[in-house]
Amino acid sequence: MALLLSLVTLCCFLGSTQGQLIEGFYSSTCPNAEQIVSSVVREAVSSDRNIAAVLLRLHFHDCFVQGCDGSILIDGSTAEKHAFGHQGVGGFEIIERAKTRLETVCQGVVSCADIMAMAARDAIAVSNGPVYAVSTGRRDGRVSNISFASDMPEVGESIQSFKDKFRQKGLSEKDLVVLNAAHTIGTTACFFMTERLYNFRGSGSADPTINPTFLPELKAKCPQNGDVNVRLPIDRGSENKFDSQVLKNIRDGFAVLQSDASLYTDEETKRVIDSYFGFLSTIIGPFFERDFVESMVKMGNIGVKTGSEGEIRRVCGAFN
Ligand code: HEM
Ligand SMILES: *[C@@H]1O[C@H](CO)[C@@H](O)[C@H](O)[C@H]1NC(C)=O
């Protein structure tokens, strides 16, 4: 009876800690894990600077489908990575490279989901963004289905739809704004600009929120019926600096993505943007970098699998 009781207690205790990540989860089982991931990220970024943005985006796309569980990494024609909503997402080979190195020193220990969370953190750091401790202990999921990514936020959706989709993941309007400020680094393909520049919401013309001095510049970079694979920085004039300029650009009509521009068309999200540029905000806050870290940590906790859920994959592109 006593044994049964303690088993019940143990099970409930474990139950209550499910979904909990901790800092330094690998400190005894794979002490060099963070260092290995960080050096792989640094090497990759030094040969291609934009890899930092690619890795940051990859973590977001992983977390928004079935939680941060590595489901996006699985290969195969019906796997999630081929979903339309993941168009342009990359960085898979960098994560696999880190995994391969980790397997040689501590086999079967570090999850692919954690590698992505660490890589996103390192990508932000190498871009001179805020440095933070990433909590780990995520386990890899056993499901990857192309039809489960149909809910990814897409560039042409309404602000209400973005608010709803973030809310569904436990993220607030503030998180929505702050996380979209990840667009402070990285690029977009002209593919995502066509509607905004030439047929905004079916109007036959450009998004009226684009600053008139900026519109010709955008159209020159992405001409109508031009090459949709041409890429342009998302944070105009500040694409190499990880900072809140992207929010200022959105405020001033210099947003590149339609989804970013929409953040200034809604009272709630507009207020969040303006809060970073208030009269005394540099002294009393809110502070963009601190808030960004807070929202990244929240995003990195979405639907995580811990304890005995899921698995630790041997390779990131396939289930065990
Ligand atoms: C409403 C939500 C969002 C929408 C609609 C959206 C849309 C997009 C689009 C269309 C691109 C261009 C992709 C390409 O051409 O390859 C992009 C790039 C990017 N996104 Fe987002 N995004 C959203 C939220 C986020 C969040 C939450 C993060 C990370 C926290 C993020 C990080 C990035 C980064 C870093 C890039 C640059 C990627 C590169 O340079 O290859 N985005 N996003
Ligand atoms: C993917 O999900 C859909 C919808 O739930 C289901 O019908 C389909 O069988 C799944 N595909 C695989 C390969 O599991």
Side-chain angles (χ1 to χ4, degrees), residues 72-106:
I72 197 169
L73 300 174
I74 296 293
D75 292 321
S77 56
T78 61
E80 185 195 312
K81 67 162 58 150
H82 299 292
F84 183 79
H86 290 325
Q87 193 104 347
V89 171
F92 307 110
E93 65 296 340
I94 317 280
I95 303 302
E96 202 68 79
R97 195 177 305 151
K99 177 63 171 172
T100 306
R101 279 198 212 170
L102 286 164
E103 287 299 290
T104 62
V105 291
C106 23

Short mmCIF file of all heavy atoms in Angstrom, two decimals, residues 72-106:
data_model
loop_
_atom_site.label_atom_id
_atom_site.label_comp_id
_atom_site.label_asym_id
_atom_site.label_seq_id
_atom_site.Cartn_x
_atom_site.Cartn_y
_atom_site.Cartn_z
N ILE A 72 9.86 19.52 -37.99
CA ILE A 72 10.14 20.16 -39.28
C ILE A 72 11.36 19.56 -39.98
O ILE A 72 11.56 19.73 -41.17
CB ILE A 72 10.31 21.69 -39.10
CG1 ILE A 72 10.17 22.43 -40.44
CG2 ILE A 72 11.65 22.03 -38.43
CD1 ILE A 72 10.07 23.93 -40.31
N LEU A 73 12.19 18.84 -39.21
CA LEU A 73 13.46 18.35 -39.76
C LEU A 73 13.33 17.03 -40.52
O LEU A 73 14.24 16.64 -41.26
CB LEU A 73 14.48 18.15 -38.63
CG LEU A 73 14.84 19.38 -37.81
CD1 LEU A 73 15.74 18.98 -36.65
CD2 LEU A 73 15.52 20.43 -38.67
N ILE A 74 12.23 16.35 -40.31
CA ILE A 74 12.06 15.02 -40.89
C ILE A 74 11.98 15.06 -42.42
O ILE A 74 11.30 15.91 -42.99
CB ILE A 74 10.78 14.35 -40.30
CG1 ILE A 74 10.95 14.11 -38.79
CG2 ILE A 74 10.41 13.06 -41.03
CD1 ILE A 74 12.02 13.08 -38.42
N ASP A 75 12.72 14.17 -43.05
CA ASP A 75 12.71 14.08 -44.51
C ASP A 75 11.58 13.17 -44.99
O ASP A 75 11.09 12.34 -44.23
CB ASP A 75 14.05 13.49 -45.00
CG ASP A 75 15.20 14.45 -44.78
OD1 ASP A 75 15.00 15.67 -44.96
OD2 ASP A 75 16.29 13.99 -44.39
N GLY A 76 11.24 13.31 -46.26
CA GLY A 76 10.20 12.45 -46.84
C GLY A 76 9.13 13.29 -47.49
O GLY A 76 8.83 14.39 -47.03
N SER A 77 8.54 12.74 -48.55
CA SER A 77 7.64 13.55 -49.37
C SER A 77 6.37 13.98 -48.64
O SER A 77 5.78 15.00 -48.99
CB SER A 77 7.29 12.78 -50.64
OG SER A 77 6.73 11.53 -50.28
N THR A 78 5.94 13.23 -47.62
CA THR A 78 4.73 13.65 -46.91
C THR A 78 5.07 14.34 -45.59
O THR A 78 4.20 14.58 -44.76
CB THR A 78 3.81 12.43 -46.60
OG1 THR A 78 4.54 11.53 -45.75
CG2 THR A 78 3.39 11.72 -47.86
N ALA A 79 6.36 14.64 -45.40
CA ALA A 79 6.79 15.25 -44.14
C ALA A 79 6.46 16.74 -44.10
O ALA A 79 6.29 17.40 -45.13
CB ALA A 79 8.29 15.04 -43.93
N GLU A 80 6.38 17.24 -42.90
CA GLU A 80 5.97 18.62 -42.64
C GLU A 80 6.80 19.65 -43.41
O GLU A 80 6.26 20.68 -43.85
CB GLU A 80 6.10 18.84 -41.13
CG GLU A 80 5.62 20.16 -40.66
CD GLU A 80 6.12 20.44 -39.25
OE1 GLU A 80 6.00 19.56 -38.37
OE2 GLU A 80 6.62 21.54 -39.03
N LYS A 81 8.09 19.41 -43.57
CA LYS A 81 8.95 20.44 -44.17
C LYS A 81 8.52 20.85 -45.57
O LYS A 81 8.85 21.94 -46.03
CB LYS A 81 10.43 20.01 -44.16
CG LYS A 81 10.77 18.84 -45.05
CD LYS A 81 12.27 18.74 -45.35
CE LYS A 81 13.16 18.63 -44.13
NZ LYS A 81 14.40 17.87 -44.39
N HIS A 82 7.74 20.01 -46.25
CA HIS A 82 7.31 20.34 -47.60
C HIS A 82 6.01 21.14 -47.65
O HIS A 82 5.50 21.43 -48.73
CB HIS A 82 7.17 19.06 -48.43
CG HIS A 82 8.47 18.32 -48.56
ND1 HIS A 82 9.52 18.82 -49.28
CD2 HIS A 82 8.89 17.15 -48.02
CE1 HIS A 82 10.55 17.99 -49.18
NE2 HIS A 82 10.19 16.98 -48.42
N ALA A 83 5.50 21.51 -46.50
CA ALA A 83 4.25 22.27 -46.47
C ALA A 83 4.46 23.67 -47.06
O ALA A 83 5.53 24.26 -46.91
CB ALA A 83 3.76 22.40 -45.03
N PHE A 84 3.45 24.17 -47.70
CA PHE A 84 3.53 25.50 -48.32
C PHE A 84 3.89 26.57 -47.29
O PHE A 84 4.66 27.48 -47.56
CB PHE A 84 2.21 25.86 -49.02
CG PHE A 84 2.28 27.17 -49.73
CD1 PHE A 84 2.89 27.26 -50.98
CD2 PHE A 84 1.77 28.33 -49.15
CE1 PHE A 84 2.98 28.49 -51.64
CE2 PHE A 84 1.87 29.55 -49.80
CZ PHE A 84 2.47 29.64 -51.05
N GLY A 85 3.34 26.42 -46.10
CA GLY A 85 3.59 27.39 -45.03
C GLY A 85 5.04 27.45 -44.58
O GLY A 85 5.42 28.37 -43.86
N HIS A 86 5.83 26.47 -44.96
CA HIS A 86 7.26 26.47 -44.60
C HIS A 86 8.14 26.88 -45.78
O HIS A 86 9.35 26.66 -45.77
CB HIS A 86 7.70 25.08 -44.12
CG HIS A 86 7.15 24.67 -42.78
ND1 HIS A 86 6.93 25.55 -41.75
CD2 HIS A 86 6.81 23.45 -42.30
CE1 HIS A 86 6.46 24.88 -40.70
NE2 HIS A 86 6.37 23.61 -41.01
N GLN A 87 7.50 27.47 -46.80
CA GLN A 87 8.24 27.89 -47.99
C GLN A 87 9.47 28.73 -47.63
O GLN A 87 9.37 29.69 -46.88
CB GLN A 87 7.29 28.75 -48.83
CG GLN A 87 7.76 29.02 -50.22
CD GLN A 87 6.99 28.15 -51.21
OE1 GLN A 87 6.31 27.21 -50.83
NE2 GLN A 87 7.11 28.49 -52.47
N GLY A 88 10.62 28.35 -48.17
CA GLY A 88 11.84 29.14 -47.95
C GLY A 88 12.57 28.81 -46.67
O GLY A 88 13.67 29.32 -46.42
N VAL A 89 12.00 27.97 -45.81
CA VAL A 89 12.68 27.62 -44.56
C VAL A 89 13.87 26.71 -44.86
O VAL A 89 13.80 25.84 -45.72
CB VAL A 89 11.69 26.91 -43.59
CG1 VAL A 89 12.43 26.34 -42.38
CG2 VAL A 89 10.62 27.89 -43.12
N GLY A 90 14.97 26.95 -44.17
CA GLY A 90 16.17 26.15 -44.42
C GLY A 90 17.01 26.02 -43.16
O GLY A 90 16.54 26.27 -42.05
N GLY A 91 18.24 25.62 -43.36
CA GLY A 91 19.16 25.46 -42.23
C GLY A 91 19.22 24.03 -41.71
O GLY A 91 19.93 23.73 -40.75
N PHE A 92 18.48 23.13 -42.38
CA PHE A 92 18.42 21.73 -41.93
C PHE A 92 19.80 21.10 -41.84
O PHE A 92 20.10 20.36 -40.91
CB PHE A 92 17.56 20.91 -42.90
CG PHE A 92 16.19 21.50 -43.15
CD1 PHE A 92 15.86 22.06 -44.38
CD2 PHE A 92 15.22 21.50 -42.15
CE1 PHE A 92 14.60 22.62 -44.60
CE2 PHE A 92 13.96 22.04 -42.37
CZ PHE A 92 13.66 22.61 -43.60
N GLU A 93 20.64 21.40 -42.84
CA GLU A 93 21.95 20.74 -42.89
C GLU A 93 22.87 21.22 -41.76
O GLU A 93 23.72 20.48 -41.30
CB GLU A 93 22.59 20.89 -44.28
CG GLU A 93 22.96 22.29 -44.73
CD GLU A 93 21.78 23.28 -44.90
OE1 GLU A 93 20.61 22.85 -45.04
OE2 GLU A 93 22.04 24.49 -44.87
N ILE A 94 22.65 22.44 -41.30
CA ILE A 94 23.46 22.95 -40.18
C ILE A 94 23.09 22.20 -38.90
O ILE A 94 23.95 21.82 -38.10
CB ILE A 94 23.22 24.47 -39.95
CG1 ILE A 94 23.16 25.24 -41.25
CG2 ILE A 94 24.21 25.03 -38.93
CD1 ILE A 94 24.40 25.59 -41.89
N ILE A 95 21.78 22.00 -38.71
CA ILE A 95 21.31 21.28 -37.52
C ILE A 95 21.83 19.83 -37.57
O ILE A 95 22.30 19.29 -36.57
CB ILE A 95 19.76 21.30 -37.45
CG1 ILE A 95 19.23 22.74 -37.44
CG2 ILE A 95 19.26 20.51 -36.23
CD1 ILE A 95 19.73 23.63 -36.31
N GLU A 96 21.78 19.25 -38.76
CA GLU A 96 22.27 17.87 -38.91
C GLU A 96 23.78 17.79 -38.65
O GLU A 96 24.26 16.83 -38.06
CB GLU A 96 21.91 17.35 -40.31
CG GLU A 96 21.85 15.84 -40.45
CD GLU A 96 20.70 15.16 -39.69
OE1 GLU A 96 19.54 15.16 -40.18
OE2 GLU A 96 20.97 14.62 -38.61
N ARG A 97 24.49 18.81 -39.07
CA ARG A 97 25.94 18.83 -38.83
C ARG A 97 26.23 18.88 -37.33
O ARG A 97 27.09 18.16 -36.82
CB ARG A 97 26.55 20.06 -39.51
CG ARG A 97 28.06 20.04 -39.64
CD ARG A 97 28.56 21.27 -40.40
NE ARG A 97 27.92 21.42 -41.71
CZ ARG A 97 27.72 22.59 -42.33
NH1 ARG A 97 28.11 23.72 -41.77
NH2 ARG A 97 27.14 22.62 -43.51
N ALA A 98 25.49 19.70 -36.62
CA ALA A 98 25.67 19.78 -35.16
C ALA A 98 25.32 18.44 -34.52
O ALA A 98 26.03 17.95 -33.63
CB ALA A 98 24.80 20.90 -34.58
N LYS A 99 24.25 17.84 -35.00
CA LYS A 99 23.81 16.55 -34.46
C LYS A 99 24.89 15.49 -34.66
O LYS A 99 25.21 14.72 -33.74
CB LYS A 99 22.50 16.12 -35.15
CG LYS A 99 21.96 14.77 -34.74
CD LYS A 99 21.58 14.73 -33.27
CE LYS A 99 20.84 13.44 -32.93
NZ LYS A 99 20.63 13.31 -31.46
N THR A 100 25.46 15.45 -35.85
CA THR A 100 26.51 14.47 -36.13
C THR A 100 27.68 14.63 -35.17
O THR A 100 28.19 13.65 -34.61
CB THR A 100 27.00 14.63 -37.60
OG1 THR A 100 25.86 14.55 -38.45
CG2 THR A 100 27.99 13.57 -37.99
N ARG A 101 28.08 15.88 -34.94
CA ARG A 101 29.19 16.10 -33.99
C ARG A 101 28.81 15.71 -32.58
O ARG A 101 29.61 15.14 -31.85
CB ARG A 101 29.61 17.57 -34.02
CG ARG A 101 30.51 17.86 -35.18
CD ARG A 101 31.28 19.15 -34.98
NE ARG A 101 31.49 19.75 -36.28
CZ ARG A 101 31.96 20.98 -36.49
NH1 ARG A 101 32.25 21.74 -35.45
NH2 ARG A 101 32.12 21.43 -37.72
N LEU A 102 27.57 16.02 -32.20
CA LEU A 102 27.12 15.67 -30.85
C LEU A 102 27.07 14.15 -30.67
O LEU A 102 27.42 13.63 -29.61
CB LEU A 102 25.74 16.27 -30.58
CG LEU A 102 25.75 17.79 -30.34
CD1 LEU A 102 24.34 18.36 -30.46
CD2 LEU A 102 26.34 18.11 -28.97
N GLU A 103 26.64 13.45 -31.71
CA GLU A 103 26.54 11.98 -31.60
C GLU A 103 27.91 11.35 -31.39
O GLU A 103 28.01 10.31 -30.74
CB GLU A 103 25.87 11.40 -32.85
CG GLU A 103 24.36 11.64 -32.92
CD GLU A 103 23.58 11.04 -31.75
OE1 GLU A 103 23.45 9.82 -31.66
OE2 GLU A 103 23.07 11.83 -30.92
N THR A 104 28.96 11.96 -31.92
CA THR A 104 30.29 11.36 -31.74
C THR A 104 30.77 11.50 -30.30
O THR A 104 31.53 10.67 -29.83
CB THR A 104 31.35 11.96 -32.70
OG1 THR A 104 31.48 13.35 -32.39
CG2 THR A 104 30.98 11.79 -34.15
N VAL A 105 30.31 12.53 -29.58
CA VAL A 105 30.77 12.68 -28.19
C VAL A 105 29.77 12.19 -27.15
O VAL A 105 30.16 11.74 -26.08
CB VAL A 105 31.19 14.14 -27.86
CG1 VAL A 105 32.48 14.49 -28.60
CG2 VAL A 105 30.10 15.13 -28.17
N CYS A 106 28.49 12.30 -27.45
CA CYS A 106 27.51 11.77 -26.49
C CYS A 106 26.30 11.25 -27.27
O CYS A 106 25.36 11.97 -27.55
CB CYS A 106 27.08 12.80 -25.45
SG CYS A 106 27.28 14.52 -25.88
#
